[in-house]
Structures are given as structure tokens and as C-alpha cells.
């Protein structure tokens, strides 16, 4: 609400005017800041039709900070002229002054000074005239006093080039008397109460108009989705354990990376349309690492790396089919292949949390999409003991006495890793969970051995195409 004194003064000013008045002129007449007048205008507008105010915009010339300095101390060239004594001034010393460089060139152009390069001790500057007139300062004084209209366009352009003058847009109100104008204001009621209606007193009251354009109070509501909270918690755990997040923004994947590279046979039930969404456009992919594709085909059809393979006719057309990825392990396969192409292997720890898609019957606990959580570690000589240790750390950070999904874990098969080009003594351990899926068991244990043992089995997938145990006993570590 504007100051009551300003409001009253503005009304008294309008009372004596036949026409309206600009708010800038009103501020000048009343000797107050323009913003005070603007506040008074808005307060009066809220009351009713006491005044009418039209917002206007106009462009005015104003002094820059440098222009204000020129008004106070003189132009650069005038200051240069005034600092030169009769015996001259060393050129090098002048260039060290704040106004020296600009002032020297302008004063030289005006022929106020001359430069003598033959002077003893180095070049010196001498006055070339007895007196000068600082026209630049005089022009800026006009602007400061509000008489910028007396300047021609050429002068304005020159002063703008020297960044002494700027053009600013000024917004003001043209204020006129309203249909209900009065210098005496009556406070309007803002609420219609039940008592007013019963007594009929509302008939003799004036109510403040309702402002339909006013912003309402922001509702104190809105929270993160529970799944997003859990996602953030899982992500933070992975980052604390030194994992790097994999790029998982490609929902569309080829069957090659989603199935074949993971040593899953092409006749596997998961590759049926009852379980997987296949794309019709684009229906197939064309770009694959050729040598790697050949090695994958060979290990499927003929075996290798200690495996006899599946002994079937592997088809490139089947591997080319595009799908909505059924798991983020397709991304893990890409990242492991990329890792294998490095000149020298370096251990990695990757994780991902992103959406996957399954062609399933919708019910209360299943949707066609959900979020998969995946952790992958590749290093020399990893064993089941390493997997148990990292799971212990992972679930300890997650916290006990919580509802968590029991997920799958294991060691990737050599038939998957060696065709990629990874060294033979490199192992990859991995595990996966889901944010939404309801395969949950509440656990409250203090030892990961119980978790991997008979109480709750974070199962090793012995028969998975991706993971297997190679027959060697696990080497447990403390």
C-alpha cells in the first residue's frame, strides 16, 4: 500500500487539473520519488474508479557512469589539456593517467595539443592553443538537466559511441480523474459476511472490486514420488561405492545387444512376441561391429572358450530386429564391449537405473514397463566371494529392516565376455533389482552370509545364459 500522504497529495494535484498528468511530472511537482507515485496509482486503482491510469513507455537519453564522471570532472580531452604545463608533459607519463589514452587522441584530433617527438628525454606534449571550450561536458549537462531534446541526432550518436550517453526506456502512467473521483477516500469492505446478509447492512456498503488477475497463495503441497525417492537413494549408494553411471537413454535396442551378445539363444522364450515388444518402424538395425558379430555367431553355433555352444543355425536377421529393451543389461553389454576395445584393460564399476519394457499382461502388480537397477564390476580374478562382499556393502548402505526386492546376481559367462575381446583372467560380477516389482521379502539380519544362505537367497543363476558358476569353489574373503 502506498504512503497515505502521497495518495492524498496526488488526489489534490489532480483536483486542480482539467486534463491528466504524467506520473513523472507528478513526482517532480510533489518532490517525491517516481516509484512512490506508481505505488499511489496502484493503491487508488484497487479502490475503484477514483482515477484512471494508462501505462506509457517513452525513450529518454540518460548519462552513463562515465558520462556522469565527465559532467563532474570534464571530458577526457579537456582534462588532458588542463594537465599540460607550459614546459610540456612527457607522453609516457600522460598514457599512465586514467583519462590519458582517450583524452590524448581526442585532444590531438581537436588540435588542442601537439606532440613533439624530438624533445630531450623523450616525446613531449605541448598545448597548441591558449584556451578551450569543453563542448562535450556542456552537452552532457543539458541531458542531466532534462534538456536532451536540445541535442541534435549527430551529437547524440557521437556521445553514445563514446559510451557517455545511453538511451533508456522509461515507463510512466498518464493519470486522469475517474468516474468516482474524490479527494476523500472511503475504505471499502473486502468481505461479505453472513451477518451483513442477515441484517441487510451490505446494501449501504461499498466493496472492493475482486481482482481476478491477482496471484493466489502457492499451495503447500507436492512431493517427490516414492519411487523417485528410492531411485535417488539407490543412486547415491552406487556413487558412494565408486560406481560410474552408464548412459541408458536408448530405450530402443537391437536384439543383438539385448539378447545375442548376452549368449541368449535365438529360440529362447523371452524373445517371443508374448514377452517382448518388437518395432515395426524401424524394424531392423544395420550397424554392428562386424568382427564381434561373427564371434558371437560362432560361439552360438559352434561353441568356443570352453563351451560347446547351442548347436543351431544362428540368423543375422533375428539379431537385427529392433525391440524396446527388456533389460538394461543390453547397455552393460555395450559398455563391456567398449571396455574390451581399449588398448589396455582397466577395472570398472558401472551402474544404471532406468526403464525397461516387457510385453506382459497388466495386473495390480505388473505394468508393461518398470525400472531396473543394475550393478556391474569388471576386474582381474573376481570370484563369488567378491560378489558376496560387494552385496554385503550394498545392502548395508541400503539399511536393514526395510522392504527390499530379492534380486538376481551372478558372474558373467566366458561365452559372453571373451568374444568381446576382454582378457581371459578378467571376470565380471553383476546383480540386479527393480524399483517397482513386488517380489519383496522383509529382512532384518546382521550377516550377509545369512542373506546368501538359507534364510534369504539372493540367488546365483546357475542356468542363466548370461551368468554361471564355472565349477570352481567360491573363494570367500573376510
Amino acid at each position: 500500500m502506498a504512503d497515505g500522504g502521497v495518495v492524498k497529495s496526488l488526489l489534490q494535484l489532480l483536483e486542480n487539473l482539467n486534463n491528466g498528468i504524467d506520473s513523472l511530472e507528478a513526482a517532480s511537482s510533489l518532490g517525491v520519488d517516481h516509484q512512490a507515485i506508481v505505488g499511489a496509482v496502484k493503491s487508488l486503482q484497487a479502490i475503484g474508479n477514483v482515477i484512471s491510469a494508462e501505462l506509457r513507455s517513452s525513450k529518454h537519453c540518460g548519462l552513463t557512469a562515465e558520462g556522469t564522471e565527465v559532467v563532474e570532472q570534464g571530458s577526457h580531452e579537456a582534462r588532458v589539456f588542463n594537465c599540460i604545463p607550459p614546459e610540456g608533459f612527457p607522453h609516457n607519463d600522460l598514457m599512465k593517467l586514467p583519462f590519458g589514452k582517450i583524452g590524448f587522441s581526442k585532444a590531438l584530433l581537436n588540435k588542442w595539443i601537439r606532440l613533439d617527438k624530438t624533445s630531450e628525454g623523450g616525446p613531449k606534449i605541448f598545448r597548441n592553443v591558449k584556451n578551450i571550450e569543453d563542448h562535450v561536458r556542456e552537452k552532457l549537462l543539458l541531458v542531466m538537466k532534462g534538456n536532451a531534446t536540445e541535442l541534435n541526432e549527430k551529437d547524440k550518436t557521437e556521445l553514445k559511441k563514446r559510451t557517455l550517453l545511453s538511451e533508456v526506456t522509461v515507463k510512466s502512467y498518464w493519470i486522469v480523474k475517474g468516474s468516482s473521483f474524490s479527494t476523500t477516500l472511503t475504505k471499502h469492505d473486502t468481505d461479505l459476511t453472513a451477518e451483513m446478509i442477515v441484517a441487510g447492512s451490505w446494501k449501504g456498503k461499498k466493496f472492493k472490486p475482486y481482482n481476478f488477475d491477482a496471484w493466489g497463495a502457492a499451495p503447500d503441497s507436492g512431493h517427490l514420488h516414492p519411487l523417485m525417492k528410492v531411485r535417488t537413494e539407490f543412486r547415491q549408494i552406487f556413487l558412494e561405492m565408486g560406481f560410474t553411471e552408464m548412459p541408458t537413454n536408448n530405450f530402443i535396442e537391437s536384439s543383438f545387444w539385448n539378447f545375442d551378445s548376452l549368449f541368449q539363444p535365438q529360440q529362447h522364450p523371452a524373445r517371443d512376441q508374448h514377452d517382448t515388444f518388437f518395432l515395426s518402424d524401424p524394424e531392423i538395425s544395420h550397424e554392428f561391429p562386424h568382427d564381434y558379430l561373427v564371434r558371437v555367431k560362432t560361439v552360438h553355433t559352434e561353441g568356443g572358450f570352453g563351451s560347446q555352444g547351442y548347436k543351431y543355425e544362428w540368423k543375422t536377421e533375428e539379431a537385427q530386429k529392433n525391440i524396446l529393451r527388456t533389460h538394461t543389461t543390453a547397455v552393460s553389454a555395450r559398455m563391456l564391449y567398449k571396455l574390451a576395445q581399449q588398448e589396455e584393460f582397466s577395472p570398472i564399476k558401472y551402474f544404471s537405473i532406468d526403464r525397461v519394457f516387457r510385453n506382459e499382461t497388466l495386473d495390480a502388480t505388473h505394468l508393461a514397463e518398470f525400472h531396473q537397477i543394475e550393478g556391474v564390476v569388471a576386474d582381474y580374478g573376481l570370484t563369488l566371494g567378491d560378489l558376496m562382499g560387494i552385496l554385503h556393502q550394498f545392502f548395508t548402505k541400503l539399511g536393514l529392516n526395510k522392504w527390499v526386492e530379492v534380486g538376481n546376481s551372478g558372474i558373467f559367462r566366458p561365452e559372453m565376455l571373451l568374444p568381446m575381446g576382454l582378457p581371459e583372467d578378467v571376470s565380471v560380477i553383476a546383480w540386479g533389482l527393480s524399483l517397482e516389482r513386488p517380489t519383496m521379502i522383509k529382512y532384518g539380519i546382521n550377516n550377509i552370509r545369512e542373506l546368501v544362505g538359507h534364510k534369504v537367497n539372493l540367488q546365483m543363476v546357475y542356468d542363466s545364459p548370461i551368468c554361471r558358476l564355472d565349477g570352481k569353489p567360491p573363494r570367500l574373503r573376510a
Side-chain angles (χ1 to χ4, degrees), residues 67-85:
T68 303
E69 179 185 326
V70 168
V71 169
E72 294 172 352
Q73 302 180 25
S75 66
H76 299 80
E77 52 268 38
R79 292 161 71 184
V80 165
F81 180 85
N82 292 330
C83 78
I84 299 175

Side-chain angles (χ1 to χ4, degrees), residues 145-190:
K145 293 177 180 178
N147 300 319
T149 53
E150 296 183 20
L151 296 179
N152 58 45
E153 290 302 318
K154 182 179 179 181
D155 290 335
K156 290 180 182 179
T157 303
E158 180 62 28
L159 292 173
K160 287 177 184 178
K161 285 182 179 179
R162 294 186 60 173
T163 65
L164 303 176
L165 196 66
S166 64
E167 196 170 59
V168 294
T169 300
V170 177
K171 292 185 178 181
S172 61
Y173 286 92
W174 180 253
I175 311 166
V176 297
K177 299 173 185 176
S179 58
S180 302
F181 178 80
S182 173
T183 56
T184 303
L185 299 179
T186 302
K187 186 176 181 180
H188 291 189
D189 287 284
T190 56

Side-chain angles (χ1 to χ4, degrees), residues 81-133:
F81 180 85
N82 292 330
C83 78
I84 299 175
E87 65 274 12
F89 197 82
H91 179 264
N92 289 338
D93 292 345
L94 179 66
M95 292 299 105
K96 296 176 183 178
L97 298 176
F99 53 84
K101 291 183 179 180
I102 298 176
F104 171 74
S105 61
K106 294 292 182 183
L108 200 63
L109 185 64
N110 292 341
K111 299 182 179 180
W112 293 350
I113 60 174
R114 61 183 176 84
L115 176 63
D116 187 354
K117 296 181 179 180
T118 62
S119 297
E120 185 178 351
K124 275 189 176 184
I125 302 169
F126 295 90
R127 289 187 179 185
N128 204 35
V129 294
K130 290 183 178 181
N131 299 299
I132 62 167
E133 291 184 14

